[in-house]
Amino acid sequence: MKKVLNKILTILVLVFCIGILALPAESTPITGKVGSTVHVYLMNQDPDPADSGKYLDLRWRVVVTKVGTIDNLEFYLDAGYPFLFEAGDSPKKSLGRVVPSNEMEEYYVLHYKLKVADNALKGEHNVSLRWNDGSGGYTKKYFTLYVDPSKSDFTIGALRTSPERLVQDTDEALLKVDIANIGSEDAENVKASLSLPEGFDASYAYSDEDALGTINESESKTAYFYIDTAEGLQPGEYNATITITYKEDDDEDNQYRTKLLPLNIPIKGSPYLVIESVKTSPAEVYPGTYVSLLINVKNTGSEEVDAASLRVFKDSTQPFDFDEKSDFIGKLKPGESGEALIRVQVKEDAPPKKYLLDVELRGVETNKDTVVLFSRTAQLVVCPAKESSTSLLIPIVIIIAAALVVGIVLYKKRKK
């Protein structure tokens, strides 16, 4: 009995193995319903690998097995970033009505044309193709496309500034920005344009632009920009943007491309000295008098300053002489004020008007041994000269004397 059972089992195993070997082999796995009558194979992509910013041709071989007629064989290509449908192409395509012939299989070619995004990243990117398989359902299959940008690409290498420490209220600060070509092609006619955040301005026309010419592969050039920083600008990192426009070396279409690069501009904390007020003693200033100027100085910055002092510069066109042109104020913390006293002699022929004195505020930034200088102005108003009491008596005396002379003359005439 055991021998009979063993023979039966052996025969069953042989039949199973022969059935497995008789099944048709598939060189490529198909995702979809079992018994699908439509099979799709990627024939080629052109170019391979795909190049960012350029067009990509895709062709599939569609194989329809001889089972029955398919009324409308439709395909839908789902391609996300970095692929775009352009040039009149669309995700949906139809091969129309498919009628089997005497051949066991029918062959068709499915074609798509895509645009690869300018900023496409190097690497593998998946797309999927789905279609109605003739059995009432849909089949979906994934394909891998490879992107290897051969175009020029850029990055910011380094930022250097002059002065080395950028602070608020700075005119014509120089930014030196290294622009590196990290792509695999040379870039021609490279231009860099700097977009500044609030609190920054270009120092003069076109000082926020620079033409760099050709930047070869794996090389870099330095862009120069001149900017002004606003008064009251707080310390911190400020986000700017550099727009790079360029043309690839082998671009037959002569098409210009654009690349946006982020740039962080650091603003450091520092003392900032301003003149808050100017008082005079006496309160009214006249020609030919001595005046004391009491000048109030305040540190409105974010850092402490040591040895703050004030100095007035003599202007030969102004009617003043100075007994003391400078005064020491001392240490000023952020928000603190101090006073400087300056003695001025107003000349006799000083015209009455408002004068602006050139003033320099100086100090040393605490713990940094950095000298800070600020150019300011102090206002001094000269009033019209007062007429003296002697000058007022002279006309009165003349009038009285004239009246006496007239009286004496009249008296003598009457007496005669």
Side-chain angles (χ1 to χ4, degrees):
M1 185 67 179
K2 288 184 178 180
K3 290 182 178 181
V4 173
L5 291 174
N6 287 335
K7 287 182 179 180
I8 293 172
L9 289 173
T10 303
I11 292 171
L12 291 174
V13 169
L14 289 173
V15 170
F16 178 77
C17 292
I18 292 171
I20 292 296
L21 292 173
L23 290 176
E26 280 286 356
S27 59
T28 304
I30 302 297
T31 303
K33 292 182 178 293
V34 177
S36 173
T37 61
V38 179
H39 307 281
V40 178
Y41 307 90
L42 180 61
M43 295 172 62
N44 73 305
Q45 69 171 73
D46 183 24
D48 186 7
D51 190 3
S52 57
K54 296 184 178 180
Y55 286 100
L56 173 66
D57 282 315
L58 300 174
R59 283 178 170 79
W60 282 271
R61 180 165 61 97
V62 179
V63 180
V64 182
T65 60
K66 185 178 180 181
V67 173
T69 299
I70 301 175
D71 291 331
N72 185 21
L73 182 53
E74 287 186 338
F75 294 86
Y76 189 92
L77 180 62
D78 187 6
Y81 171 88
F83 305 111
L84 307 169
F85 287 94
E86 288 190 358
D89 215 341
S90 66
K92 181 183 287 188
K93 288 185 182 295
S94 175
L95 296 183
R97 193 166 186 262
V98 177
V99 180
S101 65
N102 294 328
E103 301 293 333
M104 290 299 296
E105 295 179 336
E106 292 285 340
Y107 298 93
Y108 301 88
V109 175
L110 183 65
H111 172 248
Y112 281 94
K113 186 173 184 178
L114 302 178
K115 175 73 179 293
V116 186
D118 286 340
N119 60 349
L121 299 177
K122 179 179 179 179
E124 296 180 345
H125 300 271
N126 291 327
V127 299
S128 66
L129 193 66
R130 67 178 186 267
W131 63 91
N132 54 330
D133 58 12
S135 61
Y138 284 86
T139 297
K140 186 175 185 179
K141 187 176 181 181
Y142 288 91
F143 302 88
T144 299
L145 306 178
Y146 189 68
V147 175
D148 186 6
S150 62
K151 63 169 190 156
S152 309
D153 197 10
F154 298 93
T155 187
I156 291 178
L159 168 65
R160 301 179 300 279
T161 66
S162 179
E164 186 175 343
R165 296 176 68 252
L166 288 181
V167 298
Q168 62 166 312
D169 195 22
T170 302
D171 292 334
E172 296 188 20
L174 173 61
L175 304 184
K176 295 183 284 187
V177 185
D178 290 342
I179 307 295
N181 181 359
I182 59 174
S184 55
E185 284 188 4
D186 297 342
E188 298 177 343
N189 299 337
V190 181
K191 294 181 180 179
S193 177
L194 178 63
S195 299
L196 294 166
E198 185 176 354
F200 299 80
D201 289 298
S203 297
Y204 46 85
Y206 306 110
S207 70
D208 53 356
E209 299 178 6
D210 198 5
L212 304 179
T214 298
I215 303 181
N216 296 324
E217 173 190 349
S218 302
E219 293 184 356
S220 66
K221 285 190 175 181
T222 302
Y224 293 82
F225 307 106
Y226 290 89
I227 65 171
D228 300 336
T229 61
E231 180 180 344
L233 195 62
Q234 296 301 308
E237 295 275 344
Y238 290 83
N239 298 324
T241 302
I242 294 180
T243 301
I244 304 293
T245 58
Y246 64 98
K247 185 177 76 69
E248 291 182 357
D249 184 33
D250 64 348
D251 189 353
E252 297 178 356
D253 297 331
N254 202 34
Q255 179 183 1
Y256 277 85
R257 302 177 183 271
T258 300
K259 175 82 173 185
L260 300 180
L261 302 176
L263 175 68
N264 292 329
I265 302 178
I267 297 297
K268 303 297 184 181
S270 67
Y272 192 75
L273 303 181
V274 298
I275 293 178
E276 267 196 313
S277 62
V278 178
K279 295 181 180 179
T280 62
S281 179
E284 293 186 344
V285 178
Y286 297 98
T289 61
Y290 280 90
V291 181
S292 295
L293 298 181
L294 190 62
I295 303 175
N296 185 275
V297 176
K298 184 176 182 178
N299 181 8
T300 63
S302 57
E303 299 292 334
E304 186 178 70
V305 63
D306 289 331
S309 63
L310 178 146
R311 180 184 179 189
V312 178
F313 291 96
K314 178 177 172 57
D315 187 338
S316 60
T317 64
Q318 294 178 336
F320 305 117
D321 288 322
F322 296 91
D323 293 344
E324 299 167 356
K325 292 191 292 185
S326 62
D327 195 15
F328 182 78
I329 300 171
K331 179 182 293 186
L332 293 176
K333 295 180 180 180
E336 284 189 340
S337 299
E339 292 180 335
L341 184 63
I342 302 296
R343 289 279 296 168
V344 183
Q345 180 184 6
V346 184
K347 295 181 179 180
E348 293 281 354
D349 58 351
K353 66 174 186 177
K354 183 191 298 183
Y355 294 89
L356 296 177
L357 305 178
D358 290 330
V359 175
E360 178 187 84
L361 303 179
R362 174 190 291 262
V364 178
E365 192 170 353
T366 304
N367 300 325
K368 291 187 176 66
D369 296 329
T370 302
V371 176
V372 290
L373 299 173
F374 305 92
S375 297
R376 303 288 185 248
T377 57
Q379 180 178 294
L380 177 58
V381 178
V382 176
C383 300
K386 287 183 177 180
E387 295 187 0
S388 65
S389 56
T390 303
S391 61
L392 291 174
L393 287 174
I394 291 175
I396 297 174
V397 171
I398 293 174
I399 292 172
I400 294 174
L404 288 174
V405 170
V406 172
I408 293 172
V409 170
L410 292 175
Y411 174 76
K412 289 182 176 181
K413 285 182 178 182
R414 287 179 183 178
K415 192 173 181 181
K416 291 181 178 180

